[in-house]
């Protein structure tokens, strides 16, 4: 299994795209690109596995407001349970109330996270599923995966009630039951059983695969399959999965070295920029970048992301958007239409 997300991870949900004005960014829709070279925008799909830390919710949403980007948040449902309510989760093959990434510490923390989820969705971001307890399900059966998906839906739908949080919005349950269209497997650990379960559970897409470089998604076993690319990085241009954790392992063996953070940030920014330029001046396959809500090497990878997004996402022929919105924009044959005035 490839090295991937071994730290506290999470988040994603398909919602109506809402354009937001922002300083320095250009508001465009796909139709506005008709006169541009190649008539094809460069898509950049940025996602977060984690959605645990409230400060990082706010930081990512601020970056989106500044650049016009829209993100996918792959949510782990255990972060919608306070520790007192952890036995509401029954993980396949593990003890009741188990989790590899813990739970919310308090009911107030859950309430704050629900506010962030609702705020992000209203801004046009996507909330998708990262399962619940961040277990490696590579050997799970189809039935076990279906149990995990059912737990995610129930815990998300009933989060206010389970935790005794007042003021549940009238539209929350409908949103929780119908808006989730995508999934990313913990540790990027997949199997035929997972893909069969995804199809039966009516997921639109999976974003757990890995490819040698940026590639278009394809339909297999009933779902669109996206792959995080391996991109050249560092002085020897060795390929690495375009995800912060994999860069963390490459740069410092998975141990924090804050004194070298500036160098790691520069290497990451250079790798992202080079990968972007190859597609932007070439085939324009979507560039996918993955992150977590954990700050590694003194936040070097988030700083590189912010630098990259502030330069790239404001370009008139670049669309930094979510997985769900990418599919809405590009699958016209299936009746999807581009959202009006979608941000770049």
């Amino acid at each position: 299994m490839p090295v991937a997300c071994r730290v506290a991870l999470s988040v994603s949900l398909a919602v109506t795209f809402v354009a937001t004005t922002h300083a320095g960014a250009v508001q465009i829709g796909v139709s506005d690109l008709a006169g541009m070279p190649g008539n094809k925008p460069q898509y950049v799909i940025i996602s977060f596995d984690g959605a645990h830390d409230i400060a990082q919710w706010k930081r990512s949403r601020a970056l989106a407001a500044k650049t016009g980007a829209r993100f996918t948040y792959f949510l782990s449902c255990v972060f919608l349970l306070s520790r007192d309510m952890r036995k509401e989760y029954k993980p396949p093959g593990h003890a009741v109330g188990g989790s590899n990434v813990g739970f919310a510490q308090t009911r107030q923390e859950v309430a704050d996270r629900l506010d962030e989820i609702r705020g992000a969705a209203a801004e046009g971001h996507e909330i998708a599923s990262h399962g619940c307890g961040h277990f490696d399900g590579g050997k799970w059966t189809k039935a076990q995966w279906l149990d995990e998906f059912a737990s995610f839906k129930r815990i998300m739908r009933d989060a206010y009630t389970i935790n005794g949080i007042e003021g549940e919005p009238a539209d929350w349950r409908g949103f929780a039951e119908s808006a989730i269209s995508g999934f990313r497997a913990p540790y990027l650990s997949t199997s035929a059983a997972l893909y069969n379960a995804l199809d039966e559970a009516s997921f639109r897409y999976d974003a757990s695969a890995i490819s040698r470089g940026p590639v278009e998604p394809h339909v297999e076993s009933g779902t669109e399959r996206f792959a995080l690319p391996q991109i050249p990085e560092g002085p020897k241009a060795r390929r690495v999965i375009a995800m912060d954790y994999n860069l963390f392992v490459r740069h410092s063996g998975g141990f924090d070295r804050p004194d070298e953070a500036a160098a790691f940030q520069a290497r990451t920014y250079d790798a992202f920029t080079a990968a972007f330029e190859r597609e932007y001046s070439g085939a324009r396959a979507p560039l996918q970048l993955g992150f977590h809500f954990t700050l590694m090497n003194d936040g070097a990878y988030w700083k590189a992301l912010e630098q990259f997004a502030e330069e790239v996402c404001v370009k008139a022929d670049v669309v930094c958007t979510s997985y769900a919105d990418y599919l809405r924009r590009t699958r016209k044959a299936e009746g999807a239409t581009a959202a009006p005035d979608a941000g770049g």
Side-chain angles (χ1 to χ4, degrees):
M1 181 183 69
V3 176
C5 29
R6 295 283 177 187
V7 290
L9 323 162
S10 294
V11 251
S12 239
L13 274 140
V15 296
T16 303
F17 195 98
V18 180
T20 301
T21 59
H22 46 277
V26 180
Q27 293 288 327
I28 58 172
V30 170
S31 60
D32 299 317
L33 299 168
M36 295 181 180
N39 297 331
K40 182 179 181 181
Q42 175 62 55
Y43 288 100
V44 179
I45 305 175
I46 298 167
S47 59
F48 298 97
D49 300 5
H52 178 260
D53 188 78
I54 301 300
Q56 297 308 108
W57 270 106
K58 296 183 184 300
R59 183 174 175 178
S60 62
R61 290 171 62 194
L63 176 63
K66 185 176 184 179
T67 63
R70 297 296 178 266
F71 302 133
T72 291
Y73 295 90
F74 287 106
L75 176 68
S76 295
C77 84
V78 290
F79 297 134
L80 297 183
L81 295 174
S82 68
R83 288 189 58 80
D84 290 344
M85 295 293 105
R86 62 187 180 277
K87 290 189 177 180
E88 288 285 333
Y89 173 48
K90 301 174 178 60
H94 296 273
V96 173
S99 169
N100 270 353
V101 289
F103 294 85
Q105 293 301 304
T106 64
R107 178 172 61 182
Q108 185 58 52
E109 182 188 327
V110 176
D112 292 345
R113 188 166 293 109
L114 289 168
D115 285 346
E116 292 297 327
I117 290 170
R118 284 180 51 76
E123 293 160 1
H125 300 289
E126 180 195 10
I127 311 300
S129 174
H130 199 42
C132 286
H134 207 268
F135 292 108
D136 184 341
K139 295 183 179 180
W140 284 358
T141 65
K142 176 183 174 182
Q144 287 176 311
W145 274 115
L146 290 173
D147 284 346
E148 181 79 345
F149 298 152
S151 290
F152 181 97
K153 179 176 284 190
R154 180 183 65 83
I155 290 169
M156 186 167 181
R157 180 195 65 206
D158 298 343
Y160 286 89
T161 302
I162 290 171
N163 294 282
I165 298 170
E166 297 181 357
E168 178 182 318
D171 61 350
W172 173 257
R173 288 172 179 260
F175 172 75
E177 290 203 333
S178 64
I180 305 290
S181 67
F183 177 76
R184 174 170 287 156
Y187 310 117
L188 306 183
S189 183
T190 62
S191 66
L194 167 63
Y195 289 122
N196 289 335
L198 286 168
D199 183 35
E200 184 167 321
S202 299
F203 279 93
R204 177 80 186 278
Y205 73 86
D206 171 77
S208 309
I210 298 167
S211 57
R212 178 166 173 77
V215 294
E216 301 281 353
H218 67 283
V219 177
E220 190 173 341
S221 298
T223 57
E224 295 270 3
R225 295 198 194 179
F226 287 90
L228 282 167
Q230 297 177 69
I231 61 174
E233 188 276 337
K236 295 183 179 180
R238 291 188 297 129
R239 290 184 180 269
V240 64
I241 298 171
M243 179 174 269
D244 56 0
Y245 179 75
N246 301 84
L247 289 159
F248 180 47
V249 171
R250 162 73 60 85
H251 292 160
S252 58
F255 296 94
D256 277 306
R257 295 180 184 169
D259 55 322
E260 299 181 60
F264 297 149
Q265 177 184 341
R267 281 179 57 164
T268 300
Y269 168 77
D270 289 346
F272 289 170
T273 301
F276 170 82
E277 291 296 340
R278 276 189 291 275
E279 295 307 317
Y280 188 60
S281 61
R284 293 202 170 185
L287 176 63
Q288 300 170 59
L289 304 175
F291 297 85
H292 298 88
F293 272 21
T294 301
L295 296 178
M296 309 165 210
N297 280 328
D298 198 33
Y301 310 108
W302 271 69
K303 292 172 185 175
L305 166 64
E306 289 164 334
Q307 183 182 2
F308 172 80
E310 287 169 12
E311 294 179 6
V312 164
C313 295
V314 299
K315 293 179 181 289
D317 53 350
V318 174
V319 181
C320 293
T321 197
S322 66
Y323 284 101
D325 187 62
Y326 172 84
L327 290 176
R328 276 196 294 273
R329 289 168 175 265
T330 59
R331 298 302 188 255
K332 292 182 179 181
E334 298 175 14
T337 57
D341 269 341

